[in-house]
Amino acid sequence: KRYVYGIPAYNNMKKEVSFNTYDDNANCENGMITYNDKSGKPDENSVKNKAGLNHFYSATTTPPYAYSYLLTSVVSEDYVDVSANGPTPDDMGSYTRFNYSRVHKNYKWRSPFGKNKANYQENKHSLDKDNMANYVYGKKEIWYINSIETRNYVAKFIVSDRRDALGVEGENGGKDNNQKLKKLSKIELYSRAELKEDGQNAIPIKTAHFEYDYSLCPGVPNQLNNGQGKLTLQKVYFTHRDSEKGR
């Protein structure tokens, strides 16, 4: 068989930043520090940095690169693309085709997530002003699979917005409620012939349902509703055509 990875998913930019910091706001319990909050000294993460012994600031920016290659088809050794348009029912041989949708062109991500938060690095105990802070920030594409096709069947992947895993406002972090990722709500398996004949009215042969809550890790900062936690899968069940017995 031949596996075709036809879509490169790009990280459009990655920026790694390190700098000297004032250690007044360091929290050694969680290894974090708040920067740019000293009165009259707002430029710790810039070339204007005046903190520490040598006012150190370093930023390394990586240009766009593919962080993943998405599998777009699997074809048999005797597969022939008759119409030169990728795997379709008129081709010879067997195939499986994977279709995707790009939901974000520039999803902004950051570690750590919080507004003006950075990882704290305490250096020599004998020196008060050699402590450092660092963070990583970037922008990337987000893709989700929407269907898988074979000659006789089509599986549709139904996704919906999740309340956690929000993106950040920008380089200095902070939650952006408009940058949402998706969760898998259900997978519907159809007969290709029925789907072609009945269209939107086609009834799936089988449906896998996924139910979630946000019970794990309560209080995560990238949550739409403050105090709630990470997406947590609670239940999976199957229904067959009109039958709800599997529920």
Side-chain angles (χ1 to χ4, degrees), residues 15 17-27 32-39 41-46 49 51 57 110-120 131-137 168 170-174:
K15 186 176 183 181
V17 180
S18 299
F19 51 93
N20 268 141
T21 184
Y22 304 102
D23 52 7
D24 309 37
N25 297 310
N27 186 332
M32 304 277 283
I33 192 167
T34 304
Y35 63 88
N36 286 358
D37 67 343
K38 287 183 72 70
S39 177
K41 300 176 181 179
D43 300 311
E44 288 176 71
N45 63 330
S46 77
N49 184 21
Y57 169 78
R110 188 181 189 272
S111 178
F113 180 86
K115 184 76 171 178
N116 285 5
K117 299 288 185 183
N119 299 309
Y120 180 60
N131 300 320
M132 301 286 292
N134 64 79
Y135 61 81
V136 183
Y137 166 70
V168 295
E171 183 178 338
N172 289 317

Side-chain angles (χ1 to χ4, degrees), residues 214-232:
Y214 295 86
S215 56
L216 285 178
C217 305
V220 291
N222 58 349
Q223 166 64 252
L224 192 62
N225 299 325
N226 293 331
Q228 289 196 343
K230 293 181 179 181
L231 186 72
T232 308

Side-chain angles (χ1 to χ4, degrees), residues 98-113:
F98 302 80
N99 302 305
Y100 300 85
S101 297
R102 187 176 65 180
V103 297
H104 288 289
K105 187 177 180 179
N106 267 314
Y107 176 81
K108 299 174 185 175
W109 59 271
R110 188 181 189 272
S111 178
F113 180 86

